Amino acid sequence: MADLGAPTDPRLLAGIGGGEDAGVYRFNDETALIQTVDFFTPIVDDPYLFGRIAAANALSDVYAMGGKPLLAMNLVAFPSKKLDLAILKEILRGGLDTLNEAGALLVGGHSIEDDEIKYGLSLTGTVHPNQVLLNSGAQPGDQLLLTKPIGTGILATAIKGGLAGDDTEKMIGRVMAYLNRQAAQALAGSGAHACTDITGFGLIGHLYEMAAASGVAIELRAAAVPLLPEVLHFAAMGIIPEGAHNNRCHYRRFVNCALPGENDPLEIVMYDPQTSGGLLIAAAPKDIAAIAARLSVGKYPFDFGIIGEVLPAPPGRISMV
Ligand code: CO
Ligand code: CO
């Protein structure tokens, strides 16, 4: 879209460009509209679980803007001549269950015949115009909190290669299907400066987007990043999805890596593409402590961690220590 000229309007609080998770449009002093859409091919074999993950992933971009999801529409591509429609029904049931859990209403959708299954949703949400959390709001002195462990890309690759079993599959399914709602609630009213969710660009990619949009540098403490079990083990064996290599190829030019070993497997894990990953939150240290405390009290089921901090310069640089 870069060459096509993005529309501008004073009521547009977030639009194309700037790497935001959703579009945000101000109606009045109390309400802004959030719009986002996301869909992909199956990432797990269980159609119901795939539906849940796709919905959690689409909802995540509303939560990342500080918003509350209201309405949803299904986007479906399905080979109805090759596959049983019961499979599609399970995908849609998974999506609907997750929408119900989020308190969002499914109001329609669109389906087409296609050779390959694709499913996702468009989401509409609202947020107070003064409480929109942009990628571009990170300030020097902020700390960074990550609300889910990473490594789903590497573990999915290990499962595909027959190196990890049912337990691992169930575990990553649960992580990817888990809504970022609880994290968003802990974040609400916290005074956080910036937020995004970790998805296909991997942790480093999303850190870079935040650093570049905010005109700041970020110091990432790789050892403090919460990891899913066995991720380092598989990374050390070279079980790395192509997406992680692609992310590294694209983003490493923005990174100074001071990790000890030349081939430290932790380094590539930082580039692992995530599906429906956690929220990355930038806020003043006392506010980060308050958000973390709220997550702990709320019996949050996953590891979360303070993974780094925001430095004044150079803009758009990541140092990995
Ligand atoms: Co996003
Ligand atoms: Co998205």
Side-chain angles (χ1 to χ4, degrees):
M1 286 295 294
D3 307 329
L4 298 181
T8 57
D9 188 294
R11 286 162 295 191
L12 213 49
L13 305 182
I16 294 168
E20 297 299 342
D21 294 295
V24 184
Y25 182 88
R26 178 197 180 96
F27 276 138
N28 53 41
D29 289 349
E30 270 80 55
T31 312
L33 182 76
I34 300 175
Q35 288 207 281
T36 178
V37 60
D38 226 318
F39 67 100
F40 42 59
T41 55
I43 34 156
V44 289
D45 289 338
D46 175 353
Y48 175 77
L49 182 60
F50 171 50
R52 289 201 69 123
I53 293 168
N57 181 70
L59 285 157
S60 182
D61 280 330
V62 177
Y63 293 130
M65 304 307 292
K68 188 176 163 326
L70 288 183
L71 306 176
M73 299 226 221
N74 282 329
L75 292 156
V76 177
F78 194 80
S80 65
K81 291 175 188 89
K82 280 193 308 193
L83 292 178
D84 192 337
L85 277 177
I87 295 172
L88 177 57
K89 193 170 180 182
E90 280 301 283
I91 295 173
L92 299 180
R93 193 169 67 86
L96 184 60
D97 280 356
T98 292
L99 289 175
N100 287 340
E101 196 185 323
L105 302 174
L106 184 71
V107 293
H110 185 71
S111 60
I112 59 162
E113 183 72 27
D114 198 358
D115 289 341
E116 190 178 31
I117 297 176
K118 299 176 189 80
Y119 175 62
L121 302 105
S122 76
L123 258 299
T124 301
T126 55
V127 62
H128 192 287
N130 298 341
Q131 281 166 13
V132 181
L133 288 170
L134 299 176
N135 224 351
S136 56
Q139 296 176 15
D142 282 354
Q143 286 183 328
L144 297 164
L145 181 78
L146 176 64
T147 68
K148 273 187 193 179
I150 64 169
T152 57
I154 288 166
L155 293 180
T157 306
I159 293 163
K160 242 179 259 163
L163 297 161
D166 285 356
D167 289 355
T168 306
E169 199 166 354
K170 277 202 191 99
M171 184 267 296
I172 65 166
R174 195 166 155 262
V175 174
M176 294 188 289
Y178 199 83
L179 286 174
N180 278 328
R181 182 180 52 162
Q182 212 174 336
Q185 285 165 347
L187 178 61
S190 67
H193 296 140
C195 182
T196 189
D197 61 334
I198 306 302
T199 53
F201 299 146
L203 178 60
I204 295 265
H206 293 279
L207 282 169
Y208 167 75
E209 298 293 334
M210 184 178 277
S214 303
V216 296
I218 283 175
E219 184 177 272
L220 169 65
R221 286 192 303 277
V225 175
L227 302 182
L228 291 167
E230 292 196 285
V231 167
L232 271 185
H233 164 74
F234 288 120
M237 286 169 65
I239 311 300
I240 312 289
E242 197 189 338
H245 291 299
N246 294 343
N247 285 339
R248 185 169 185 268
C249 195
H250 182 72
Y251 287 110
R252 74 190 287 195
R253 75 193 75 162
F254 307 113
V255 179
N256 301 330
C257 182
L259 290 185
E262 185 47 18
N263 293 310
D264 191 333
L266 192 54
E267 194 240 343
I268 190 76
V269 172
M270 299 295 116
Y271 294 94
D272 185 41
Q274 303 301 288
T275 301
S276 189
L279 297 182
L280 171 71
I281 301 162
K286 68 167 176 30
D287 297 328
I288 286 287
I291 296 164
R294 254 175 271 165
L295 275 182
S296 308
V297 171
K299 297 196 173 62
Y300 191 66
F302 305 117
D303 286 344
F304 53 90
I306 298 168
I307 61 164
E309 58 194 345
V310 179
L311 306 173
R317 291 300 299 186
I318 309 290
S319 53
M320 206 188 324
V321 298

